[in-house]
Amino acid sequence: MGAETDISGGEARDTADLAQFGYKQELKRSLGTFSSFAVAFSYISPSTGIFTLFALGLTTLGGVFIWTWPVVALGQFLIALNFAEVSSHFPVAGSVFQWTKYLAGRTQAWFTGWIYLFAGVLTVTAVVATLPLALIPTLNGLGWTSLGAGNSLLHTQLVVALITLVAITVLNIYGVRLVALINNTGVLFEILGMFVFALIMLAVYNHQGFHVVTNSGGLHVGGNTFLVAMFMSLFVIYGFDTASTLSEETKDPRRAAPRAVLFSIVGAFVIGGVFLLATLMAIPNLGAAIKGGYGPAQIIEADFPHAIATIYLLIVSAAIFVCCLSIMAATIRLCFGMARDNRLPFSRPLARVAPTLHTPIWSCVAIAVLAAIPFLQYSGAGIIAIAATAMIYLSYFLGNIAILRARLSGWPKARAPFRLGRWGVAVNIIGLLYGGAMLVNFAWPRVQSNMTPNQTAGALDFHIGFLNKIPILWTVFVLILLIGAVYYLITGRRKAIDPVVTPPPDDPLPAAGAEAGPDPLRAGIPGPEYRVKPGLS
């Protein structure tokens, strides 16, 4: 009986805490600390990113590319420290969009959320396109050798990706608890699978020795090649803010979310680093692997007996699948959070929560449809992955600018469970310098990472002559920003939105407060008085 009282008391506390931001509890609050960590870890999913872009790193720097891993992990950990503090202050669905909404003006918040929404959509596309890279070799190993034979490989990858997109959409519609159950199981398998198989490769299939980390295989090692080789690590270590995106479905989110944000990076760095080292050491012939553009699947198949290799690829396929689930769940919550604030086209249906399933069904469907658009002309997982990662970094950068401006204006005013204290400004500035440098790296025109459609050997064609001569990432950036700007100027900035409401004493700063206006229900009333937004449903 006592345990039940504690649980209900915790739920009542979390519901009241959310209400102080002007929102009523509609989503089902069922995630514990481990589930919160697991969702963030599975979004990062070391096995997913490594399988997608391992070949890019290997063919650029040989074994030396492993040194990009700690560099990116350290830079992202600084970003995560900043995000952990903000998530402890603002435990609401929407992550970067919500933080910018509370700490900056309406326009900056909207564009940050818009960019972050499409970054999430592209990430969903990239990861469902990654699953076939592991699943098709798995099915071949199980005897379905006709899959992906010859010129039909790209078509088979497309079909598998679309089936995956439908499956994760249905699962997300049926609720975060089901997603969390599958996700928790998948994360355990991913951690154990990657670590155990890494140990086996280190002990039994060590062909290269530890010195492989200094062996470039004859490739040039320089600043530019190092920056290109970073793209695998950059694609892996992001999405840690997912734990805060699901705050409205997490118990005690002010404490659980910051822990999950930070632990997910630490866990991914350790597990992924050990697996990367073991995979490089297990390459039978480094020169042949570089020439053939080997990924982990080819290396595993070259070393392990057929049955064992198939089992491992099956584990990796499961890990990538749960990664797809968590990324879509996070993107759906962002869409829901923006629609609930009337910030998107068709906000009313997108913000509607099904009373029995406790999920925003139309947000689920909308994200699935948007994620399917790049498949109209499928060009492979690698190109989509780089575009998705660049968009994420841009939204992170814009969010960090808003946070720094708030810090310089005196935020935070209240003490949250997780705080950086006097280190906050320094961490914020270093994170911005790192993020800005990576944005330049993404945008730099080069065939390895930001090619033009003309350089894709016919895989991508915009069917507009001059666009085929422009780097793909530039086109993606401009298109998403242009559509957003047109919508915002014509409709978005005129939409009626509720005032920004935060619990005292962390009221909005002047930039946000000027548009929000005073809360008449709070004026002169001590304690955590609040009002609940009527919502759009």
Side-chain angles (χ1 to χ4, degrees):
M1 179 66 71
E4 291 177 358
T5 302
D6 291 341
I7 291 173
S8 62
E11 290 177 352
R13 176 202 62 213
D14 293 338
T15 299
D17 190 17
L18 178 62
Q20 293 185 81
F21 292 90
Y23 297 118
K24 61 183 178 180
Q25 184 74 52
E26 294 183 280
L27 304 175
K28 191 171 184 179
R29 200 175 288 275
S30 57
L31 302 181
T33 301
F34 178 77
S35 294
S36 182
F37 156 80
V39 170
F41 181 89
S42 63
Y43 193 124
I44 296 174
S45 185
S47 58
T48 302
I50 290 172
F51 264 72
T52 308
L53 293 178
F54 180 93
L56 174 62
L58 183 67
T59 56
T60 304
L61 279 186
V64 177
F65 97 92
I66 195 174
W67 294 106
T68 66
W69 187 253
V71 172
V72 173
L74 178 60
Q76 292 295 75
F77 191 75
L78 292 172
I79 304 295
L81 283 171
N82 205 36
F83 284 1
E85 181 171 32
V86 185
S87 66
S88 196
H89 282 270
F90 306 115
V92 290
S95 180
V96 176
F97 160 70
Q98 291 285 11
W99 305 334
T100 313
K101 182 186 80 176
Y102 290 115
L103 299 176
R106 172 173 176 162
T107 301
Q108 183 179 348
W110 190 86
F111 275 99
T112 301
W114 179 261
I115 292 168
Y116 192 43
L117 177 64
F118 281 91
V121 168
L122 284 173
T123 304
V124 172
T125 308
V127 178
V128 298
T130 296
L131 181 59
L133 303 183
L135 185 59
I136 290 175
T138 303
L139 296 176
N140 287 336
L142 293 172
W144 296 6
T145 54
S146 61
L147 286 176
N151 295 329
S152 67
L153 177 58
L154 202 63
H155 175 73
T156 305
Q157 291 176 349
L158 174 60
V159 171
V160 172
L162 290 173
I163 292 172
T164 304
L165 182 59
V166 172
I168 63 174
T169 302
V170 172
L171 288 170
N172 270 287
I173 286 174
Y174 274 90
V176 73
R177 186 58 190 160
L178 176 60
V179 171
L181 178 63
I182 298 172
N183 190 73
N184 292 355
T185 305
V187 165
L188 288 174
F189 273 104
E190 178 171 12
I191 292 174
L192 292 174
M194 290 190 75
F195 196 72
V196 169
F197 271 81
L199 293 179
I200 294 173
M201 286 192 286
L202 289 171
V204 181
Y205 300 106
N206 181 5
H207 301 296
Q208 298 296 323
F210 185 76
H211 63 83
V212 71
V213 300
T214 61
N215 187 355
S216 68
L219 298 169
H220 172 69
V221 178
N224 183 58
T225 52
F226 191 86
L227 289 171
V228 171
M230 290 179 78
F231 279 95
M232 187 214 74
S233 302
L234 291 168
F235 182 56
V236 175
I237 309 177
Y238 73 82
F240 39 83
D241 58 303
T242 303
S244 55
T245 296
L246 298 178
S247 286
E248 292 183 32
E249 292 150 282
T250 303
K251 301 170 185 176
D252 194 13
R254 289 184 184 264
R255 291 176 175 80
R259 292 173 190 159
V261 166
L262 298 177
F263 288 160
S264 63
I265 288 189
V266 173
F269 170 70
V270 173
I271 298 299
V274 172
F275 180 76
L276 269 177
L277 176 62
T279 304
L280 287 171
M281 291 172 65
I283 296 175
N285 185 307
L286 184 61
I290 292 173
K291 184 177 180 180
Y294 282 15
Q298 288 87 352
I299 296 169
I300 291 167
E301 289 175 330
D303 282 324
F304 286 94
H306 177 76
I308 302 299
T310 300
I311 291 172
Y312 182 66
L313 290 174
L314 186 61
I315 293 173
V316 171
S317 299
I320 297 174
F321 182 79
V322 297
C323 176
C324 297
L325 267 179
S326 64
I327 290 172
M328 191 171 201
T331 308
I332 289 166
R333 269 61 188 177
L334 172 61
C335 181
F336 166 75
M338 292 186 70
R340 182 175 56 181
D341 283 355
N342 199 25
R343 303 293 180 102
L344 293 176
F346 310 107
S347 285
R348 187 177 297 276
L350 292 175
R352 188 171 297 127
V353 176
T356 54
L357 296 173
H358 298 283
T359 53
I361 293 178
W362 288 111
S363 283
C364 297
V365 174
I367 296 303
V369 171
L370 290 172
I373 291 175
F375 289 128
L376 293 175
Q377 189 173 8
Y378 181 53
S379 56
I383 293 174
I384 304 171
I386 292 173
T389 312
M391 294 295 294
I392 287 284
Y393 269 70
L394 178 57
S395 58
Y396 280 7
F397 186 78
L398 294 174
N400 273 305
I401 288 176
I403 297 168
L404 179 61
R405 288 177 59 194
R407 290 188 189 281
L408 296 177
S409 298
W411 183 87
K413 300 176 184 178
R415 290 172 64 89
F418 182 87
R419 55 189 177 274
L420 296 175
R422 59 192 179 92
W423 294 102
V425 172
V427 169
N428 207 153
I429 291 174
I430 297 172
L432 276 171
L433 291 173
Y434 162 78
M438 291 303 101
L439 279 175
V440 173
N441 187 23
F442 279 112
W444 201 267
R446 55 168 85 94
V447 69
Q448 300 97 323
S449 59
N450 189 17
M451 64 185 71
T452 68
N454 285 341
Q455 295 171 326
T456 64
L460 184 63
D461 185 354
F462 289 137
H463 302 289
I464 301 176
F466 77 94
L467 285 182
N468 286 332
K469 300 176 183 178
I470 299 175
I472 295 168
L473 189 56
W474 297 4
T475 302
V476 172
F477 273 176
V478 171
L479 181 63
I480 290 174
L481 284 173
L482 184 61
I483 293 173
V486 169
Y487 168 75
Y488 187 74
L489 291 173
I490 294 176
T491 303
R493 64 177 178 169
R494 295 184 176 86
K495 277 194 167 187
I497 59 173
D498 289 326
V500 176
V501 179
T502 52
D506 240 359
D507 291 318
L509 296 169
E515 69 183 38
D519 183 352
L521 294 187
R522 201 179 277 163
I525 302 176
E529 297 291 335
Y530 56 84
R531 61 191 176 84
V532 179
K533 290 181 180 177
L536 297 170
S537 58

